[in-house]
Amino acid sequence: MDYMEFYKLNNQPFTNAVDNRFYYNSSQHSEALVRLKYTASTRKGLALLVGDIGTGKTTLARRVLDEMDESEYEAALLVIIHSSVTAEWLIRKIAIQIGVQDPSEEKVELLSQLYRRLLELYEGGKKVVVLIDEAQMLKGKEIMEEFRGLLNMEVPDGKLVTFIFFALPEIDENLSLDEPLKQRIAFRYSLHSFQETTTKEYIKHRLHIAGCDGELFTDKSLSAVHKYAKGIPRLINTICDNALLEGFLVKRKVIDEDVITNVANDLGLTANTVTPRPEGRGIF
């Protein structure tokens, strides 16, 4: 027997793997989603979503991608996994993702191929959107200048391609390397950690999706999760997952505050009690 069987759950409710079944549409995620989709649908060119570690940027990126209607959009998600990405690699990757056939090894010709493909998609009635996760890892003035160059590809009703960056706040340092690019940001939104009410709703939502039909956590235990996680979704998941395992091991049918405190101690989070900032706001 494992904790899913013990608590009569159909799935693990608190995995940190991105799973759209468990997507929680908090007020800030809902607002960000609407604004990002507006930026894409109106061909604004460049949008930026920033947030600290664990606040749900990748989850939101996947959600945006899933909501891009294939009949209207040619959309792709690039995940940057190291900071040594070159401008040439980036252009080639974008070209491949939007369907450029046999991309050239020569940069000038590759850019021409990319432009022709963007025009082809535009004339076919499609909007091109490229989402870039972990965009703070794109370092260097050359890469920033390449984005500016790609955003110069436009038609009378907007840009031929819209980029949406999902990044840590440190991306501002990179964008400052090219002030004209920074000025092209049509929309910026900041994700912050949850308020306590949202944390409680988030936990209950995930439990419900996993098949829980009762009150598995006491209200005090939910408050304790929020305190130790500082409202950060990734830490909320980690604490709750460990709490269910701990509860199973000691045969607690309901997770109380003591279980959460023990788990937080084990995870080294008991000093992690700073009050979170208010949830995000966006500006055009």
Side-chain angles (χ1 to χ4, degrees):
M1 176 182 284
D2 59 16
Y3 82 59
M4 285 196 299
E5 185 177 354
F6 182 75
Y7 291 114
K8 297 181 173 57
L9 301 173
N10 301 322
N11 300 281
Q12 291 186 21
F14 298 108
T15 175
N16 273 315
V18 177
D19 185 340
N20 268 329
R21 292 175 302 170
F22 291 95
Y23 178 76
Y24 177 66
N25 201 31
S26 73
S27 59
Q28 62 171 340
H29 285 79
S30 176
E31 181 180 346
L33 186 60
V34 169
R35 291 175 180 266
L36 291 174
K37 289 170 66 176
Y38 170 79
T39 304
S41 68
T42 53
R43 302 180 185 274
K44 296 294 186 184
L46 180 59
L48 175 61
L49 183 131
V50 298
D52 292 327
I53 295 170
T55 51
K57 299 182 298 298
T58 297
T59 298
L60 190 56
R62 296 296 176 91
R63 188 69 176 192
V64 172
L65 183 65
D66 286 347
E67 294 205 6
M68 293 285 159
D69 187 336
E70 292 184 2
S71 66
E72 184 179 358
Y73 294 96
E74 185 76 19
L77 172 62
L78 304 183
V79 181
I80 309 303
I81 60 174
H82 56 81
S83 59
S84 59
V85 167
T86 64
E88 287 78 7
W89 179 91
L90 184 66
I91 295 170
R92 176 177 295 276
K93 192 70 173 178
I94 292 170
I96 292 170
Q97 289 293 314
I98 67 169
V100 171
Q101 300 297 316
D102 300 319
S104 173
E105 296 291 334
E106 207 277 318
K107 182 179 176 182
V108 174
E109 176 57 26
L110 178 60
L111 286 169
S112 295
Q113 289 177 312
L114 182 58
Y115 179 68
R116 290 194 295 270
R117 176 60 178 160
L118 289 171
L119 274 180
E120 178 185 345
L121 289 166
Y122 172 74
E123 291 167 355
K126 283 199 170 184
K127 299 164 184 172
V128 179
V129 183
V130 178
L131 300 90
I132 300 184
D133 196 15
E134 302 293 353
Q136 77 281 348
M137 298 185 74
L138 295 172
K139 299 181 181 293
K141 185 175 177 61
E142 183 184 2
I143 287 183
M144 297 300 108
E145 289 175 343
E146 286 298 349
F147 277 113
R148 175 157 52 90
L150 293 173
L151 290 171
N152 286 335
M153 298 179 180
E154 54 189 9
V155 286
D157 57 345
K159 306 295 184 182
L160 283 173
V161 57
T162 294
F163 294 103
I164 303 177
F165 292 171
F166 298 81
L168 294 173
E170 65 194 56
I171 194 173
D172 285 328
E173 299 175 13
N174 304 342
L175 291 169
S176 294
L177 296 172
D178 191 278
E179 189 62 30
L181 175 64
K182 194 171 185 179
Q183 292 178 9
R184 282 171 166 77
I185 298 173
F187 161 71
R188 177 190 177 108
Y189 192 91
S190 297
L191 286 181
H192 296 303
S193 51
F194 291 156
Q195 296 295 299
E196 183 171 342
T197 299
T198 308
T199 294
K200 292 180 177 181
E201 292 172 351
Y202 172 82
I203 293 170
K204 291 176 181 179
H205 167 78
R206 293 190 71 112
L207 286 169
H208 174 72
I209 297 300
C212 178
D213 57 5
E215 297 295 327
L216 190 47
F217 287 69
T218 67
D219 190 66
K220 286 186 177 180
S221 72
L222 294 175
S223 294
V225 172
H226 177 76
K227 179 177 71 173
Y228 296 124
K230 296 197 299 184
I232 298 171
R234 185 179 297 168
L235 287 179
I236 293 169
N237 289 343
T238 299
I239 292 171
C240 288
D241 184 57
N242 277 272
L244 290 177
L245 178 58
E246 178 76 10
F248 162 64
L249 292 174
V250 298
K251 305 307 178 189
R252 296 271 183 93
K253 286 294 185 179
V254 176
I255 304 299
D256 58 22
E257 187 178 6
D258 289 343
V259 172
I260 302 301
T261 300
N262 289 337
V263 165
N265 273 323
D266 291 343
L267 293 170
L269 298 174
T270 49
N272 204 9
T273 57
V274 178
T275 302
R277 293 175 289 175
E279 293 180 8
R281 288 183 58 85
I283 58 172
F284 284 99

